[in-house]
Amino acid sequence: MKSLKLLLSCFCLVCTWGLQSCNNEKTYAEKREEEEDAIQAWITTHDYKVISESDFYAQDTMTNENEFVLFESSGVYMNILCRGPKDENGNFKGEILNDGNYEILSRFVEVAMQTRSGDGLSFQAGDTLCANMNLYGLPTMELFPEEYKLVVSGDSYSASFQTFRDYGMYDRYQTTSVPSGWLVPFKCLRPFRTQSSTEVARVRLIVPHSEGTRTAMNYVYPCYYELTYNLVK
């Protein structure tokens, strides 16, 4: 009888511990709230000014220094550094991409905006997660830009990586899908083939998990990106 009581006590203890462990796991809503707090903290720390889409279009789809437009439908924030190369007369060489297929080259840096540990994650806010761009004097981690095929159909944009190199996005995240947040700027940029690092179309982005990599979507965390967009030909 004593053995039975001891067994029942142990069983109850294990069940109680299991329930507490489940209760300690954060809900999606809690993770989403923490993500939003991290985004707002990043904006405040870096002294970004956030403007609406209506203000953005009123100023000819351009942003001033440290000014980010918030696209409400996606939650992506964007600052345009360069819309694309211009000719000697100051006219853009490229156009906003219409319906069709395009081969795009991008250099980028991906930075964690939120400290995360556990669940297989271990990084601090401000850590570089992946990069192939020489930024802030840091060494270039990858000699070649990311190459992907972009498909434009009306207001729909989709893209898949075409090359799979070490240190690249496919190598890190094991998917050919280009984060949808990367595609948001195409509605405003005028990319054109160039070898100039100062004239290439370039943006800064704050990308919530829903528009980010597969891992960001699974674990609910935002990333900061600096990205260039160049046409293959």
Side-chain angles (χ1 to χ4, degrees):
M1 180 64 73
K2 289 183 178 180
S3 298
L4 180 59
K5 288 183 178 180
L6 180 60
L7 182 62
L8 290 173
S9 297
C10 291
F11 177 75
C12 291
L13 182 62
V14 170
C15 288
T16 300
W17 177 84
L19 288 173
Q20 288 177 340
S21 297
C22 291
N23 289 335
N24 287 335
E25 290 186 8
K26 294 175 182 176
T27 64
Y28 173 76
E30 290 172 329
K31 291 178 181 179
R32 181 65 187 88
E33 184 175 353
E34 289 182 350
E35 177 188 41
E36 182 58 32
D37 289 343
I39 291 174
Q40 294 308 314
W42 186 278
I43 290 171
T44 299
T45 300
H46 292 82
D47 196 28
Y48 294 158
K49 177 185 177 182
V50 178
I51 62 173
S52 66
E53 289 182 67
S54 59
D55 289 337
F56 175 63
Y57 290 114
Q59 56 194 43
D60 193 27
T61 63
M62 281 299 298
T63 53
N64 297 314
E65 184 178 0
N66 249 28
E67 185 178 72
F68 282 70
V69 55
L70 168 61
F71 294 101
E72 295 282 356
S73 60
S74 63
V76 171
Y77 296 76
M78 178 180 69
N79 169 257
I80 299 177
L81 298 172
C82 180
R83 291 177 68 184
K86 295 182 179 181
D87 61 23
E88 61 276 6
N89 296 318
N91 299 315
F92 285 107
K93 294 180 180 179
E95 299 290 340
I96 294 175
L97 301 181
N98 295 315
D99 289 7
N101 299 332
Y102 303 89
E103 292 182 37
I104 308 294
L105 299 175
S106 284
R107 289 199 174 276
F108 73 97
V109 61
E110 177 187 60
V111 179
M113 296 176 61
Q114 184 178 4
T115 297
R116 295 295 298 272
S117 61
D119 296 327
L121 300 178
S122 180
F123 50 76
Q124 301 287 318
D127 284 354
T128 297
L129 302 180
C130 195
N132 66 9
M133 179 189 293
N134 193 330
L135 191 67
Y136 307 132
L138 298 175
T140 300
M141 298 176 65
E142 170 60 57
L143 293 176
F144 302 99
E146 293 285 352
E147 183 176 346
Y148 51 98
K149 180 172 289 185
L150 171 71
V151 179
V152 182
S153 179
D155 293 329
S156 175
Y157 297 80
S158 61
S160 57
F161 292 115
Q162 300 298 298
T163 54
F164 318 123
R165 303 186 179 99
D166 291 343
Y167 302 109
M169 291 292 283
Y170 176 81
D171 180 68
R172 181 172 180 84
Y173 298 112
Q174 296 298 298
T175 177
T176 59
S177 296
V178 176
S180 54
W182 284 30
L183 310 182
V184 170
F186 279 111
K187 64 180 72 175
C188 309
L189 301 181
R190 297 172 180 267
F192 193 80
R193 179 63 178 169
T194 179
Q195 294 183 348
S196 171
S197 60
T198 58
E199 292 187 345
V200 67
R202 186 168 183 153
V203 302
R204 296 187 292 171
L205 299 175
I206 293 174
V207 177
H209 76 282
S210 56
E211 306 296 316
T213 64
R214 181 168 65 180
T215 303
M217 289 190 286
N218 288 341
Y219 292 97
V220 191
Y221 63 85
C223 285
Y224 167 90
Y225 291 93
E226 187 159 325
L227 276 158
T228 65
Y229 300 90
N230 206 349
L231 293 184
V232 170
K233 58 182 178 178

mmCIF file of all heavy atoms in Angstrom, residues 96-135:
data_model
loop_
_atom_site.group_PDB
_atom_site.id
_atom_site.type_symbol
_atom_site.label_atom_id
_atom_site.label_comp_id
_atom_site.label_asym_id
_atom_site.label_seq_id
_atom_site.Cartn_x
_atom_site.Cartn_y
_atom_site.Cartn_z
ATOM 1 N N ILE A 96 10.441 51.221 -62.451
ATOM 2 C CA ILE A 96 9.790 50.320 -61.509
ATOM 3 C C ILE A 96 9.407 49.050 -62.266
ATOM 4 O O ILE A 96 8.845 49.118 -63.365
ATOM 5 C CB ILE A 96 8.558 50.985 -60.881
ATOM 6 C CG1 ILE A 96 8.999 52.165 -59.999
ATOM 7 C CG2 ILE A 96 7.755 49.979 -60.057
ATOM 8 C CD1 ILE A 96 7.872 52.974 -59.414
ATOM 9 N N LEU A 97 9.723 47.908 -61.717
ATOM 10 C CA LEU A 97 9.551 46.647 -62.432
ATOM 11 C C LEU A 97 8.074 46.314 -62.636
ATOM 12 O O LEU A 97 7.298 46.264 -61.679
ATOM 13 C CB LEU A 97 10.245 45.520 -61.671
ATOM 14 C CG LEU A 97 11.750 45.711 -61.439
ATOM 15 C CD1 LEU A 97 12.328 44.506 -60.695
ATOM 16 C CD2 LEU A 97 12.485 45.928 -62.757
ATOM 17 N N ASN A 98 7.712 46.079 -63.898
ATOM 18 C CA ASN A 98 6.351 45.695 -64.243
ATOM 19 C C ASN A 98 6.222 44.170 -64.259
ATOM 20 O O ASN A 98 7.165 43.448 -63.941
ATOM 21 C CB ASN A 98 5.980 46.278 -65.607
ATOM 22 C CG ASN A 98 5.938 47.796 -65.596
ATOM 23 O OD1 ASN A 98 5.374 48.400 -64.678
ATOM 24 N ND2 ASN A 98 6.551 48.426 -66.586
ATOM 25 N N ASP A 99 5.058 43.677 -64.665
ATOM 26 C CA ASP A 99 4.828 42.231 -64.715
ATOM 27 C C ASP A 99 5.920 41.537 -65.532
ATOM 28 O O ASP A 99 6.295 41.993 -66.615
ATOM 29 C CB ASP A 99 3.467 41.942 -65.355
ATOM 30 C CG ASP A 99 2.312 42.338 -64.454
ATOM 31 O OD1 ASP A 99 2.571 42.957 -63.401
ATOM 32 O OD2 ASP A 99 1.159 42.030 -64.801
ATOM 33 N N GLY A 100 6.411 40.438 -64.992
ATOM 34 C CA GLY A 100 7.440 39.688 -65.693
ATOM 35 C C GLY A 100 8.364 38.965 -64.737
ATOM 36 O O GLY A 100 8.159 38.969 -63.520
ATOM 37 N N ASN A 101 9.389 38.337 -65.296
ATOM 38 C CA ASN A 101 10.397 37.614 -64.527
ATOM 39 C C ASN A 101 11.720 38.373 -64.585
ATOM 40 O O ASN A 101 12.130 38.839 -65.653
ATOM 41 C CB ASN A 101 10.599 36.198 -65.083
ATOM 42 C CG ASN A 101 9.326 35.377 -65.015
ATOM 43 O OD1 ASN A 101 8.477 35.593 -64.164
ATOM 44 N ND2 ASN A 101 9.193 34.423 -65.917
ATOM 45 N N TYR A 102 12.384 38.473 -63.445
ATOM 46 C CA TYR A 102 13.638 39.215 -63.371
ATOM 47 C C TYR A 102 14.641 38.433 -62.518
ATOM 48 O O TYR A 102 14.263 37.767 -61.542
ATOM 49 C CB TYR A 102 13.419 40.589 -62.724
ATOM 50 C CG TYR A 102 12.389 41.437 -63.429
ATOM 51 C CD1 TYR A 102 11.036 41.354 -63.072
ATOM 52 C CD2 TYR A 102 12.753 42.321 -64.436
ATOM 53 C CE1 TYR A 102 10.081 42.132 -63.708
ATOM 54 C CE2 TYR A 102 11.805 43.108 -65.069
ATOM 55 C CZ TYR A 102 10.473 43.007 -64.706
ATOM 56 O OH TYR A 102 9.529 43.767 -65.331
ATOM 57 N N GLU A 103 15.905 38.535 -62.884
ATOM 58 C CA GLU A 103 16.976 37.962 -62.077
ATOM 59 C C GLU A 103 17.620 39.095 -61.285
ATOM 60 O O GLU A 103 18.094 40.073 -61.872
ATOM 61 C CB GLU A 103 17.995 37.256 -62.958
ATOM 62 C CG GLU A 103 17.434 35.993 -63.623
ATOM 63 C CD GLU A 103 18.479 35.283 -64.464
ATOM 64 O OE1 GLU A 103 19.658 35.262 -64.055
ATOM 65 O OE2 GLU A 103 18.111 34.764 -65.524
ATOM 66 N N ILE A 104 17.611 38.938 -59.959
ATOM 67 C CA ILE A 104 18.057 39.994 -59.058
ATOM 68 C C ILE A 104 19.288 39.544 -58.279
ATOM 69 O O ILE A 104 19.392 38.387 -57.870
ATOM 70 C CB ILE A 104 16.941 40.379 -58.061
ATOM 71 C CG1 ILE A 104 15.632 40.702 -58.806
ATOM 72 C CG2 ILE A 104 17.379 41.540 -57.182
ATOM 73 C CD1 ILE A 104 15.701 41.931 -59.675
ATOM 74 N N LEU A 105 20.209 40.481 -58.074
ATOM 75 C CA LEU A 105 21.359 40.256 -57.208
ATOM 76 C C LEU A 105 21.226 41.182 -55.993
ATOM 77 O O LEU A 105 20.951 42.379 -56.153
ATOM 78 C CB LEU A 105 22.664 40.575 -57.939
ATOM 79 C CG LEU A 105 22.972 39.762 -59.196
ATOM 80 C CD1 LEU A 105 24.236 40.300 -59.865
ATOM 81 C CD2 LEU A 105 23.150 38.288 -58.854
ATOM 82 N N SER A 106 21.402 40.629 -54.814
ATOM 83 C CA SER A 106 21.304 41.433 -53.597
ATOM 84 C C SER A 106 22.481 41.175 -52.666
ATOM 85 O O SER A 106 22.853 40.021 -52.429
ATOM 86 C CB SER A 106 20.010 41.120 -52.837
ATOM 87 O OG SER A 106 18.890 41.709 -53.449
ATOM 88 N N ARG A 107 23.030 42.260 -52.168
ATOM 89 C CA ARG A 107 23.925 42.168 -51.030
ATOM 90 C C ARG A 107 23.143 42.629 -49.806
ATOM 91 O O ARG A 107 22.273 43.502 -49.918
ATOM 92 C CB ARG A 107 25.183 43.016 -51.233
ATOM 93 C CG ARG A 107 26.112 42.424 -52.286
ATOM 94 C CD ARG A 107 27.533 42.976 -52.181
ATOM 95 N NE ARG A 107 28.421 42.296 -53.103
ATOM 96 C CZ ARG A 107 29.022 41.137 -52.859
ATOM 97 N NH1 ARG A 107 28.817 40.527 -51.700
ATOM 98 N NH2 ARG A 107 29.825 40.584 -53.753
ATOM 99 N N PHE A 108 23.456 42.054 -48.656
ATOM 100 C CA PHE A 108 22.624 42.334 -47.498
ATOM 101 C C PHE A 108 23.388 42.099 -46.203
ATOM 102 O O PHE A 108 24.430 41.444 -46.160
ATOM 103 C CB PHE A 108 21.393 41.419 -47.501
ATOM 104 C CG PHE A 108 21.715 39.994 -47.141
ATOM 105 C CD1 PHE A 108 21.547 39.526 -45.840
ATOM 106 C CD2 PHE A 108 22.233 39.117 -48.083
ATOM 107 C CE1 PHE A 108 21.875 38.228 -45.504
ATOM 108 C CE2 PHE A 108 22.563 37.819 -47.757
ATOM 109 C CZ PHE A 108 22.383 37.365 -46.464
ATOM 110 N N VAL A 109 22.841 42.659 -45.140
ATOM 111 C CA VAL A 109 23.239 42.295 -43.786
ATOM 112 C C VAL A 109 21.946 42.096 -43.000
ATOM 113 O O VAL A 109 20.996 42.872 -43.148
ATOM 114 C CB VAL A 109 24.140 43.366 -43.135
ATOM 115 C CG1 VAL A 109 23.442 44.709 -43.023
ATOM 116 C CG2 VAL A 109 24.616 42.900 -41.759
ATOM 117 N N GLU A 110 21.896 41.032 -42.236
ATOM 118 C CA GLU A 110 20.715 40.693 -41.435
ATOM 119 C C GLU A 110 21.104 40.782 -39.959
ATOM 120 O O GLU A 110 22.034 40.097 -39.515
ATOM 121 C CB GLU A 110 20.241 39.279 -41.770
ATOM 122 C CG GLU A 110 19.062 38.808 -40.944
ATOM 123 C CD GLU A 110 18.743 37.336 -41.209
ATOM 124 O OE1 GLU A 110 19.638 36.483 -40.959
ATOM 125 O OE2 GLU A 110 17.626 37.053 -41.657
ATOM 126 N N VAL A 111 20.412 41.611 -39.209
ATOM 127 C CA VAL A 111 20.762 41.870 -37.813
ATOM 128 C C VAL A 111 19.576 41.543 -36.910
ATOM 129 O O VAL A 111 18.427 41.926 -37.199
ATOM 130 C CB VAL A 111 21.160 43.352 -37.620
ATOM 131 C CG1 VAL A 111 21.501 43.637 -36.154
ATOM 132 C CG2 VAL A 111 22.350 43.699 -38.515
ATOM 133 N N ALA A 112 19.845 40.843 -35.812
ATOM 134 C CA ALA A 112 18.804 40.525 -34.841
ATOM 135 C C ALA A 112 18.384 41.797 -34.102
ATOM 136 O O ALA A 112 19.229 42.581 -33.671
ATOM 137 C CB ALA A 112 19.301 39.483 -33.839
ATOM 138 N N MET A 113 17.088 41.992 -33.960
ATOM 139 C CA MET A 113 16.578 43.156 -33.245
ATOM 140 C C MET A 113 16.103 42.797 -31.838
ATOM 141 O O MET A 113 15.680 43.677 -31.093
ATOM 142 C CB MET A 113 15.416 43.778 -34.028
ATOM 143 C CG MET A 113 15.798 44.332 -35.375
ATOM 144 S SD MET A 113 14.364 44.937 -36.302
ATOM 145 C CE MET A 113 13.764 46.210 -35.204
ATOM 146 N N GLN A 114 16.191 41.524 -31.511
ATOM 147 C CA GLN A 114 15.653 41.058 -30.241
ATOM 148 C C GLN A 114 16.562 39.974 -29.679
ATOM 149 O O GLN A 114 17.011 39.096 -30.416
ATOM 150 C CB GLN A 114 14.236 40.503 -30.454
ATOM 151 C CG GLN A 114 13.499 40.073 -29.217
ATOM 152 C CD GLN A 114 12.086 39.590 -29.556
ATOM 153 O OE1 GLN A 114 11.702 39.522 -30.726
ATOM 154 N NE2 GLN A 114 11.316 39.269 -28.548
ATOM 155 N N THR A 115 16.860 40.037 -28.399
ATOM 156 C CA THR A 115 17.657 38.995 -27.761
ATOM 157 C C THR A 115 16.799 37.753 -27.556
ATOM 158 O O THR A 115 15.685 37.833 -27.051
ATOM 159 C CB THR A 115 18.176 39.478 -26.392
ATOM 160 O OG1 THR A 115 19.041 40.606 -26.597
ATOM 161 C CG2 THR A 115 18.947 38.379 -25.673
ATOM 162 N N ARG A 116 17.304 36.619 -28.005
ATOM 163 C CA ARG A 116 16.569 35.369 -27.866
ATOM 164 C C ARG A 116 17.511 34.256 -27.422
ATOM 165 O O ARG A 116 18.645 34.159 -27.878
ATOM 166 C CB ARG A 116 15.919 34.961 -29.198
ATOM 167 C CG ARG A 116 14.836 35.904 -29.688
ATOM 168 C CD ARG A 116 13.626 35.913 -28.758
ATOM 169 N NE ARG A 116 13.001 34.621 -28.690
ATOM 170 C CZ ARG A 116 12.052 34.197 -29.537
ATOM 171 N NH1 ARG A 116 11.641 34.982 -30.513
ATOM 172 N NH2 ARG A 116 11.526 33.002 -29.390
ATOM 173 N N SER A 117 17.012 33.411 -26.522
ATOM 174 C CA SER A 117 17.761 32.235 -26.095
ATOM 175 C C SER A 117 16.772 31.129 -25.804
ATOM 176 O O SER A 117 15.605 31.381 -25.469
ATOM 177 C CB SER A 117 18.605 32.538 -24.853
ATOM 178 O OG SER A 117 17.781 32.927 -23.768
ATOM 179 N N GLY A 118 17.225 29.901 -25.922
ATOM 180 C CA GLY A 118 16.324 28.765 -25.771
ATOM 181 C C GLY A 118 15.649 28.443 -27.079
ATOM 182 O O GLY A 118 15.729 29.193 -28.067
ATOM 183 N N ASP A 119 14.967 27.293 -27.134
ATOM 184 C CA ASP A 119 14.290 26.844 -28.357
ATOM 185 C C ASP A 119 15.263 26.732 -29.530
ATOM 186 O O ASP A 119 14.871 26.901 -30.694
ATOM 187 C CB ASP A 119 13.135 27.780 -28.747
ATOM 188 C CG ASP A 119 12.027 27.797 -27.711
ATOM 189 O OD1 ASP A 119 11.804 26.753 -27.075
ATOM 190 O OD2 ASP A 119 11.401 28.851 -27.521
ATOM 191 N N GLY A 120 16.547 26.502 -29.222
ATOM 192 C CA GLY A 120 17.523 26.388 -30.296
ATOM 193 C C GLY A 120 18.053 27.715 -30.786
ATOM 194 O O GLY A 120 18.866 27.758 -31.712
ATOM 195 N N LEU A 121 17.623 28.844 -30.187
ATOM 196 C CA LEU A 121 18.086 30.168 -30.580
ATOM 197 C C LEU A 121 19.070 30.704 -29.550
ATOM 198 O O LEU A 121 18.912 30.471 -28.348
ATOM 199 C CB LEU A 121 16.910 31.137 -30.702
ATOM 200 C CG LEU A 121 15.816 30.790 -31.720
ATOM 201 C CD1 LEU A 121 14.721 31.840 -31.666
ATOM 202 C CD2 LEU A 121 16.398 30.692 -33.116
ATOM 203 N N SER A 122 20.059 31.430 -30.017
ATOM 204 C CA SER A 122 21.016 32.046 -29.099
ATOM 205 C C SER A 122 21.662 33.244 -29.782
ATOM 206 O O SER A 122 22.642 33.103 -30.514
ATOM 207 C CB SER A 122 22.084 31.037 -28.664
ATOM 208 O OG SER A 122 23.007 31.641 -27.772
ATOM 209 N N PHE A 123 21.077 34.439 -29.587
ATOM 210 C CA PHE A 123 21.672 35.656 -30.123
ATOM 211 C C PHE A 123 21.183 36.858 -29.318
ATOM 212 O O PHE A 123 20.166 36.805 -28.643
ATOM 213 C CB PHE A 123 21.364 35.840 -31.615
ATOM 214 C CG PHE A 123 19.914 35.712 -31.998
ATOM 215 C CD1 PHE A 123 19.005 36.729 -31.741
ATOM 216 C CD2 PHE A 123 19.456 34.571 -32.648
ATOM 217 C CE1 PHE A 123 17.675 36.622 -32.112
ATOM 218 C CE2 PHE A 123 18.121 34.445 -33.021
ATOM 219 C CZ PHE A 123 17.229 35.478 -32.749
ATOM 220 N N GLN A 124 21.955 37.911 -29.413
ATOM 221 C CA GLN A 124 21.644 39.156 -28.737
ATOM 222 C C GLN A 124 21.139 40.179 -29.752
ATOM 223 O O GLN A 124 21.500 40.128 -30.930
ATOM 224 C CB GLN A 124 22.898 39.717 -28.040
ATOM 225 C CG GLN A 124 23.514 38.800 -26.998
ATOM 226 C CD GLN A 124 22.688 38.734 -25.736
ATOM 227 O OE1 GLN A 124 22.187 39.748 -25.262
ATOM 228 N NE2 GLN A 124 22.541 37.528 -25.196
ATOM 229 N N ALA A 125 20.344 41.116 -29.287
ATOM 230 C CA ALA A 125 19.925 42.210 -30.159
ATOM 231 C C ALA A 125 21.166 42.943 -30.658
ATOM 232 O O ALA A 125 22.037 43.310 -29.871
ATOM 233 C CB ALA A 125 19.008 43.163 -29.400
ATOM 234 N N GLY A 126 21.254 43.127 -31.961
ATOM 235 C CA GLY A 126 22.415 43.765 -32.566
ATOM 236 C C GLY A 126 23.389 42.794 -33.186
ATOM 237 O O GLY A 126 24.302 43.214 -33.914
ATOM 238 N N ASP A 127 23.211 41.497 -32.935
ATOM 239 C CA ASP A 127 24.084 40.492 -33.545
ATOM 240 C C ASP A 127 23.800 40.366 -35.040
ATOM 241 O O ASP A 127 22.637 40.388 -35.465
ATOM 242 C CB ASP A 127 23.880 39.117 -32.902
ATOM 243 C CG ASP A 127 24.528 39.003 -31.535
ATOM 244 O OD1 ASP A 127 25.234 39.945 -31.127
ATOM 245 O OD2 ASP A 127 24.317 37.960 -30.871
ATOM 246 N N THR A 128 24.851 40.220 -35.843
ATOM 247 C CA THR A 128 24.693 39.931 -37.265
ATOM 248 C C THR A 128 24.408 38.443 -37.431
ATOM 249 O O THR A 128 25.202 37.616 -37.004
ATOM 250 C CB THR A 128 25.947 40.319 -38.052
ATOM 251 O OG1 THR A 128 26.155 41.738 -37.944
ATOM 252 C CG2 THR A 128 25.805 39.954 -39.521
ATOM 253 N N LEU A 129 23.287 38.112 -38.037
ATOM 254 C CA LEU A 129 22.887 36.718 -38.214
ATOM 255 C C LEU A 129 23.398 36.148 -39.530
ATOM 256 O O LEU A 129 23.740 34.966 -39.621
ATOM 257 C CB LEU A 129 21.361 36.605 -38.147
ATOM 258 C CG LEU A 129 20.708 37.103 -36.857
ATOM 259 C CD1 LEU A 129 19.186 36.937 -36.941
ATOM 260 C CD2 LEU A 129 21.261 36.377 -35.643
ATOM 261 N N CYS A 130 23.430 36.979 -40.563
ATOM 262 C CA CYS A 130 23.874 36.533 -41.880
ATOM 263 C C CYS A 130 24.218 37.783 -42.689
ATOM 264 O O CYS A 130 23.587 38.835 -42.490
ATOM 265 C CB CYS A 130 22.762 35.732 -42.562
ATOM 266 S SG CYS A 130 23.268 34.761 -44.003
ATOM 267 N N ALA A 131 25.219 37.693 -43.568
ATOM 268 C CA ALA A 131 25.614 38.882 -44.324
ATOM 269 C C ALA A 131 26.489 38.509 -45.510
ATOM 270 O O ALA A 131 27.198 37.506 -45.474
ATOM 271 C CB ALA A 131 26.363 39.863 -43.426
ATOM 272 N N ASN A 132 26.434 39.321 -46.544
ATOM 273 C CA ASN A 132 27.419 39.231 -47.629
ATOM 274 C C ASN A 132 27.791 40.639 -48.097
ATOM 275 O O ASN A 132 28.162 40.859 -49.231
ATOM 276 C CB ASN A 132 26.903 38.391 -48.805
ATOM 277 C CG ASN A 132 25.727 39.032 -49.520
ATOM 278 O OD1 ASN A 132 25.377 40.182 -49.271
ATOM 279 N ND2 ASN A 132 25.103 38.287 -50.408
ATOM 280 N N MET A 133 27.667 41.585 -47.160
ATOM 281 C CA MET A 133 27.939 42.989 -47.454
ATOM 282 C C MET A 133 29.014 43.503 -46.510
ATOM 283 O O MET A 133 29.004 43.178 -45.318
ATOM 284 C CB MET A 133 26.655 43.811 -47.271
ATOM 285 C CG MET A 133 26.826 45.305 -47.533
ATOM 286 S SD MET A 133 25.352 46.247 -47.061
ATOM 287 C CE MET A 133 24.150 45.652 -48.254
ATOM 288 N N ASN A 134 29.937 44.293 -47.052
ATOM 289 C CA ASN A 134 30.942 44.938 -46.229
ATOM 290 C C ASN A 134 30.318 46.181 -45.605
ATOM 291 O O ASN A 134 30.141 47.191 -46.264
ATOM 292 C CB ASN A 134 32.160 45.319 -47.077
ATOM 293 C CG ASN A 134 33.350 45.709 -46.213
ATOM 294 O OD1 ASN A 134 33.195 46.213 -45.113
ATOM 295 N ND2 ASN A 134 34.537 45.473 -46.725
ATOM 296 N N LEU A 135 29.964 46.081 -44.331
ATOM 297 C CA LEU A 135 29.221 47.154 -43.675
ATOM 298 C C LEU A 135 29.923 47.555 -42.388
ATOM 299 O O LEU A 135 30.387 46.704 -41.631
ATOM 300 C CB LEU A 135 27.798 46.687 -43.369
ATOM 301 C CG LEU A 135 26.799 47.742 -42.916
ATOM 302 C CD1 LEU A 135 26.511 48.722 -44.052
ATOM 303 C CD2 LEU A 135 25.501 47.086 -42.466
#
